[in-house]
Amino acid sequence: MTIVTYVVGVIAVFGLLLYSYVRIPNSLPKGIPAVPIYISLIGLWSDMGQDEIYDRWLREPLEKYGAVKIWFAGRWNLLATRPDLLSNIFRNEDIYSKAGSQKKIPWSVIASLVGDNIINSHGDTWKLYTSIMKPGLQKTSFDSKPLLEKSRRFVDVLFKAQLEERVGKGVLVNPLIQRFAIAAMGESFLDIDFGCMESPGMRIEILQTIIKRTIFKPLYFNFPALDKFPWLFTSRRRAFAIMKEFEDLLYELVRNRPRKLERKEPVAPQDELVVHMLERALEDGRIDDEQFRANLKIVFLTAHENTQQLLNSMFWQLGSDQSIQDKLRAEVLATGVTDPTPDTLNKLPYLTALICELLRVYPPVSQLINRVSLVPSSLGGTIDLPKGTWVGWNAPGVQSDINVWGPTARQFIPERWGSKPEEIMAKFRRETVKGNFIAFNSHSRKCLGQGYALLEMKMALFELVRRARWTVDPEYTIKFTSGGILAPLNCKVCIEPLEA
């Protein structure tokens, strides 16, 4: 009887502790519904894609109320999709401050990966990072020759992979896209050729696959307190080791890159890349080694990941709808150009509209909760939030809302953006400011690399449709990632060269 009483007591105490940990704080707004906590953990027992999860549990309350309470990273947060609420968040950095994992869960695996960097810092620290890195991230004259060279090599690699497959079988595109995206990023930002296109299996590239598989595990993603006990969870001990290996390897490769060691004269100001700016800031003492490493990692991660996943979605969308692919190909071939420049690419309206629509329907960064209220606030004048409330956004939610984009919101229609490049980009900016289109965020903290991302997508698509035609493998069934980055899982396409 004593043992039974003891066991019951232990269970009761554990239950009370668990309840106190996961209960919704009374300070959060009462008129906003809460998403059941098990939705955040559904990836533990289900392979549902995040599109299915959103449609089943989040779409109705978010489109009705504009925001919900949701469990993420060990706490209850406010997730918004209504444009006026999003604009309120993005416009008021002094109220809803950027604060990433290094502030929210500094002991975690993901915090060890990203550190304190230009994307998730705030105040004077963010201003310092921006003053150093912005000229390199937001260049108006990226050298497009390396992008063209890597795009051509990417198409060659796709053709080779298809020849190695059995007749009628498609190529798994994600690993090849990842190699391309890392190679292009290295040339454009870090002054290095990582060798990924020429040599599959480079350790820096393999680590990316391992990292993506590691950080989005739903149990640890939603209960990061478990990362405090790596001695208890062997997988977390390995995870920390992987993050450290990636950091050290990237640092070693970049700091000792051949181009740097062989260069006889300083890089001309107009040719400087973001890595040159970071290295000079490190040498001048404006940043320390830890800050240098964190910003080096975030450039590597974000400057390849978003393009990688958008290209995955592109292969699915254009491989499923040949009419879109044919229309784009006709526009590209009509130029008569084989060596496109940024000016060539920016004059192509359907190419521009197509990429905008890809970003609307398949935003790679689908959801982020990385802002915290610094003071008590009234979000949108209707939702009262206490100081310390974490707030975030869901991009597919607002960008597929029929109340925002009309009855065709959930259809893929590039023509909705306009028929002229200047008209398309004007709509791009207008919808961004209004909070209707947040693929690159908005206002003072919008993505500094969006110009490069658009250029890279244009160059890769131009070269792909100019030289190749593809269809989705008939045996492939679309399934999206369950969380984190949004993209089709394991998409396969059958690709063939166009006749000369």
Side-chain angles (χ1 to χ4, degrees):
M1 185 65 178
T2 304
I3 295 176
V4 172
T5 302
Y6 175 77
V7 171
V8 170
V10 169
I11 293 174
V13 170
F14 177 78
L16 285 171
L17 290 173
L18 182 61
Y19 172 75
S20 66
Y21 181 60
V22 301
R23 66 181 290 274
I24 301 173
N26 292 328
S27 57
L28 290 182
K30 301 294 189 295
I32 298 297
V35 177
I37 192 171
Y38 64 81
I39 301 307
S40 299
L41 296 168
I42 202 166
L44 288 173
W45 63 84
S46 170
D47 67 348
M48 290 181 71
Q50 55 187 288
D51 58 325
E52 299 171 280
I53 295 170
Y54 187 88
D55 285 340
R56 183 166 178 180
W57 286 288
L58 279 81
R59 184 177 294 283
E60 183 178 348
L62 277 168
E63 292 187 357
K64 181 177 181 180
Y65 295 93
V68 295
K69 290 171 283 197
I70 192 168
W71 178 269
F72 174 75
R75 55 170 52 84
W76 286 96
N77 313 265
L78 190 85
L79 182 72
T81 57
R82 206 172 71 205
D84 64 307
L85 302 181
L86 297 173
S87 291
N88 194 219
I89 293 170
F90 296 146
R91 286 179 186 274
N92 294 288
E93 169 74 12
D94 56 333
I95 298 176
Y96 306 106
S97 163
K98 272 287 191 82
S101 299
Q102 89 287 5
K103 296 290 186 183
K104 186 191 306 182
I105 43 177
W107 62 83
S108 65
V109 168
I110 192 168
S112 74
L113 172 65
V114 299
D116 185 72
N117 60 65
I118 189 172
I119 291 178
N120 60 26
S121 56
H122 173 69
D124 290 341
T125 304
W126 170 68
K127 291 176 183 176
L128 170 64
Y129 296 157
T130 302
S131 68
I132 295 167
M133 301 171 66
K134 185 176 180 178
L137 295 172
Q138 214 173 41
K139 291 179 70 168
T140 57
S141 57
F142 272 104
D143 182 0
S144 62
K145 292 178 183 177
L147 280 179
L148 177 58
E149 177 191 339
K150 295 303 180 186
S151 297
R152 285 174 171 165
R153 181 63 181 146
F154 177 42
V155 177
D156 292 340
V157 169
L158 285 166
F159 288 156
K160 182 175 183 293
Q162 184 65 74
L163 288 173
E164 293 171 353
E165 287 290 339
R166 298 195 305 275
V167 175
K169 295 293 183 180
V171 173
L172 181 65
V173 291
N174 182 57
L176 307 182
I177 297 171
Q178 179 168 274
R179 288 165 55 192
F180 162 72
I182 291 175
M185 172 275 306
E187 293 284 358
S188 300
F189 291 106
L190 301 182
D191 190 32
I192 186 172
D193 185 347
F194 284 109
C196 297
M197 293 308 300
E198 294 71 27
S199 304
M202 300 296 286
R203 184 60 181 171
I204 194 73
E205 191 260 324
I206 289 174
L207 285 171
Q208 297 316 295
T209 302
I210 299 172
I211 287 170
K212 291 162 192 172
R213 197 167 56 231
T214 299
I215 62 174
F216 294 125
K217 289 185 178 296
L219 179 62
Y220 300 107
F221 215 41
N222 288 284
F223 291 93
L226 298 175
D227 281 351
K228 293 181 177 181
F229 310 103
W231 52 269
L232 182 61
F233 300 100
T234 306
S235 64
R236 302 323 277 168
R237 189 162 63 248
R238 288 197 298 267
F240 278 110
I242 286 293
M243 305 308 151
K244 181 60 174 170
E245 181 187 353
F246 164 62
E247 176 183 313
D248 289 344
L249 178 58
L250 178 62
Y251 184 89
E252 175 68 20
L253 290 173
V254 171
R255 295 292 276 162
N256 295 291
R257 59 191 184 277
R259 294 174 189 170
K260 177 184 177 183
L261 300 178
E262 296 167 4
R263 188 171 288 119
K264 304 299 183 183
E265 298 179 359
V267 178
Q270 68 271 18
D271 297 328
E272 280 196 334
L273 304 180
V274 72
V275 68
H276 304 128
M277 300 166 188
L278 280 170
E279 287 178 328
R280 188 166 60 251
L282 177 64
E283 292 161 5
D284 293 346
R286 285 177 287 158
I287 57 174
D288 59 28
D289 188 68
E290 183 178 356
Q291 292 171 314
F292 175 85
R293 286 170 174 259
N295 282 291
L296 187 65
K297 288 187 292 182
I298 207 65
V299 169
F300 183 100
L301 294 168
T302 58
H304 91 267
E305 179 71 30
N306 294 348
T307 305
Q308 176 185 344
Q309 305 310 339
L310 195 61
L311 282 170
N312 269 306
S313 298
M314 181 280 299
F315 271 107
W316 156 255
Q317 182 64 56
L318 273 65
S320 305
D321 190 337
Q322 292 297 304
S323 65
I324 296 175
Q325 191 179 143
D326 290 343
K327 184 172 181 178
L328 177 62
R329 183 175 295 107
E331 180 180 76
V332 166
L333 294 179
T335 65
V337 172
T338 56
D339 297 322
T341 64
D343 187 57
T344 305
L345 299 170
N346 291 335
K347 288 180 179 177
L348 300 180
Y350 193 68
L351 175 61
T352 304
L354 175 60
I355 293 171
C356 290
E357 188 70 347
L358 283 168
L359 286 163
R360 187 189 71 84
V361 178
Y362 308 108
V365 182
S366 57
Q367 181 172 298
L368 270 184
I369 301 174
N370 67 342
R371 289 177 181 259
V372 62
S373 57
L374 300 179
V375 296
S377 63
S378 180
L379 181 59
T382 58
I383 303 174
D384 293 331
L385 299 176
K387 176 183 178 180
T389 302
W390 288 83
V391 297
W393 44 264
N394 183 288
V398 65
Q399 293 175 185
S400 66
D401 189 342
I402 59 175
N403 299 305
V404 178
W405 288 89
T408 62
R410 296 169 204 169
Q411 299 174 34
F412 191 89
I413 307 175
E415 291 83 358
R416 77 173 74 242
W417 292 88
S419 58
K420 299 178 181 179
E422 58 273 15
E423 176 188 356
I424 294 165
M425 293 312 297
K427 182 176 177 63
F428 179 100
R429 292 187 292 270
R430 188 168 60 250
E431 301 296 344
T432 297
V433 170
K434 292 192 295 186
N436 297 342
F437 178 70
I438 59 171
F440 292 112
N441 268 219
S442 182
H443 299 288
S444 65
R445 299 304 297 268
K446 69 180 179 182
C447 175
L448 295 176
Q450 73 174 41
Y452 169 79
L454 294 172
L455 175 61
E456 182 180 7
M457 283 295 299
K458 288 177 180 180
M459 187 67 79
L461 262 172
F462 186 101
E463 190 66 9
L464 275 164
V465 298
R466 188 182 72 82
R467 295 177 55 196
R469 183 186 306 277
W470 68 93
T471 57
V472 173
D473 187 316
E475 295 184 3
Y476 176 72
T477 301
I478 184 66
K479 174 66 68 174
F480 284 94
T481 48
S482 60
I485 297 296
L486 175 67
L489 276 173
N490 302 319
C491 182
K492 290 186 176 184
V493 302
C494 301
I495 189 165
E496 60 181 357
L498 289 179
E499 293 181 6

